[in-house]
Amino acid sequence: MNKAKRFFIFLTVLLTLLAGVMVGMMIFPVGTPKESEAPMPSPESLPGFSAESEEQQKSDTEKPQEIINPEGKTLQERVAPPPGYERTEARRDSLTTFLRKYPLKKAGKPVLLYNGEEKGNQSAHMAVFKLPMEKEDLQQCADSVMRVYAEYFWKTGQKERISFRFVDGFQAEYTKWRSGYRIRTGESRSSWVPGGAHDDSYENFKKYLRMVFAYAGTLSMEQESKKIKLSEAATGDIFLYAGSPGHGVMVVDVCRSSDGKKAFLLGQGFMPAQEFHLLKNPLHEDDPWYYLEEVSYPLQTPEYSFKKGSFRRLEY
């Protein structure tokens, strides 16, 4: 076979082999797959992933807003309005503002009686107000409400409004007491008698209050109030059962939702005389707000039940 013929056969074989390689590469491509075709990494393969952390994030997202802040030092700081609600607007010199800014005892503190002992039931309150207490068994339920109003009028320069009715119908005006008159009791009706010099001190104010607490109560409070609708609820309004004994609790704050729903907080003193405290709502342990749409009669508070028609507004 001559050289030309051998070269032609070699070239034919070489071209045939090259063609086969190219066809094989087209059918079976090699190299890194396209990015779009690369398999997605599983969550478990990502740095820092754990099933627990994913569940915790989901839980934190779904967790409702906390209403109670144990670090809060006042009513407004301690108890937030529920989600979707805002506290109602209030003037700087209003009873509402006075109570919202009123100092509270540290979270978890017990309710104390007038003699310093702990109240038997410590499960009814959410917080305790630092409202002054007298050392006699006088400042009970209705008296605690009167003490709130009296302290508010005293501290906001409205002393002429401090006036409370005795059960016998006598009107005990602080300004009269301050000017030196005293109250004679034990007859068919109490009366004023001369008793000393003008005295505008806080100590004399407390003496006046002890006299009020001794001779005023739920029965006289009923005389100084009028029935109102629950939808009208405002700070200072009361649920009242007038009797001997009776009971009363006081609205200490109000909030409202954007669609007009209303909720309120209740405070009370009780028997024996004890510190004024914020009540829980038996319907939800960690939320002390009473929602109007939930209220039905008899209204059940932690320690008392009020019938329909017991909601009233004081005329102080």
Side-chain angles (χ1 to χ4, degrees):
M1 186 180 295
N2 59 30
K3 289 183 178 180
K5 189 174 182 178
R6 287 201 300 268
F7 178 77
F8 177 78
I9 294 171
F10 173 77
L11 185 59
T12 301
V13 172
L14 181 61
L15 291 173
T16 302
L17 290 173
L18 287 173
V21 170
M22 292 180 66
V23 171
M25 289 179 67
M26 292 176 65
I27 298 174
F28 305 105
V30 294
T32 304
K34 295 180 182 178
E35 185 176 58
S36 61
E37 297 172 349
M40 293 296 292
S42 65
E44 291 81 357
S45 66
L46 297 175
F49 174 87
S50 71
E52 181 180 356
S53 64
E54 188 180 58
E55 289 300 320
Q56 183 63 46
Q57 291 175 7
K58 183 179 180 182
S59 174
D60 290 344
T61 302
E62 296 175 351
K63 189 175 182 179
Q65 174 186 335
E66 294 290 342
I67 290 178
I68 301 300
N69 172 20
E71 302 302 318
K73 296 181 179 180
T74 65
L75 180 63
Q76 183 166 287
E77 294 173 355
R78 182 76 56 86
V79 184
Y85 286 72
E86 292 184 357
R87 282 184 158 90
T88 55
E89 293 185 4
R91 302 189 318 273
R92 291 180 60 184
D93 62 347
S94 67
L95 177 63
T96 300
T97 300
F98 176 76
L99 281 169
R100 286 175 179 171
K101 294 184 176 182
Y102 209 88
L104 304 176
K105 293 170 66 174
K106 289 183 178 180
K109 290 291 185 180
V111 176
L112 300 181
L113 303 179
Y114 67 96
N115 56 9
E117 296 180 2
E118 291 189 11
K119 176 182 177 178
N121 179 14
Q122 295 292 335
S123 64
H125 71 282
M126 187 65 75
V128 183
F129 290 82
K130 290 185 177 179
L131 188 71
M133 274 283 296
E134 301 309 304
K135 293 183 179 181
E136 301 92 343
D137 187 11
L138 293 173
Q139 193 170 310
Q140 299 179 357
C141 52
D143 311 301
S144 293
V145 174
M146 289 184 275
R147 184 72 185 244
V148 169
Y149 271 97
E151 292 286 340
Y152 162 63
F153 292 144
W154 175 276
K155 292 179 180 178
T156 55
Q158 303 180 73
K159 297 178 182 179
E160 71 283 353
R161 295 182 64 182
I162 304 173
S163 179
F164 302 100
R165 187 172 301 177
F166 286 5
V167 173
D168 65 6
F170 175 78
Q171 197 67 36
E173 301 163 346
Y174 167 70
T175 52
K176 189 88 170 178
W177 178 280
R178 179 182 61 181
S179 67
Y181 285 88
R182 293 297 176 263
I183 302 172
R184 175 184 291 164
T185 61
E187 301 176 353
S188 59
R189 182 166 177 161
S190 304
S191 60
W192 290 108
V193 294
H198 182 278
D199 186 351
D200 196 23
S201 68
Y202 188 73
E203 285 301 315
N204 191 44
F205 170 63
K206 290 197 296 182
K207 291 178 181 178
Y208 160 80
L209 287 177
R210 287 196 290 271
M211 192 74 180
V212 170
F213 299 158
Y215 294 98
T218 56
L219 290 169
S220 57
M221 187 168 278
E222 184 179 47
Q223 300 171 23
E224 295 186 283
S225 61
K226 63 179 181 180
K227 291 182 180 181
I228 61 170
K229 296 178 181 179
L230 192 58
S231 59
E232 302 174 54
T235 302
D237 294 336
I238 57 173
F239 287 94
L240 180 70
Y241 170 69
S244 185
H247 189 49
V249 299
M250 179 183 186
V251 175
V252 295
D253 203 355
V254 178
C255 65
R256 190 187 297 273
S257 67
S258 57
D259 58 357
K261 295 179 181 178
K262 187 181 284 189
F264 52 86
L265 297 173
L266 294 177
Q268 74 167 18
F270 212 2
M271 298 170 59
Q274 57 195 251
E275 293 175 310
F276 189 65
H277 48 277
L278 179 68
L279 286 171
K280 293 181 178 180
N281 184 337
L283 296 181
H284 19 80
E285 179 70 15
D286 297 322
D287 179 359
W289 292 95
Y290 287 74
Y291 301 87
L292 255 64
E293 65 267 25
E294 291 181 347
V295 173
S296 61
Y297 291 100
L299 172 65
Q300 186 64 51
T301 66
E303 296 185 294
Y304 211 82
S305 179
F306 294 94
K307 65 182 181 179
K308 189 174 183 179
S310 61
F311 194 56
R312 308 180 72 89
R313 178 157 295 166
L314 289 160
E315 300 178 321
Y316 292 153

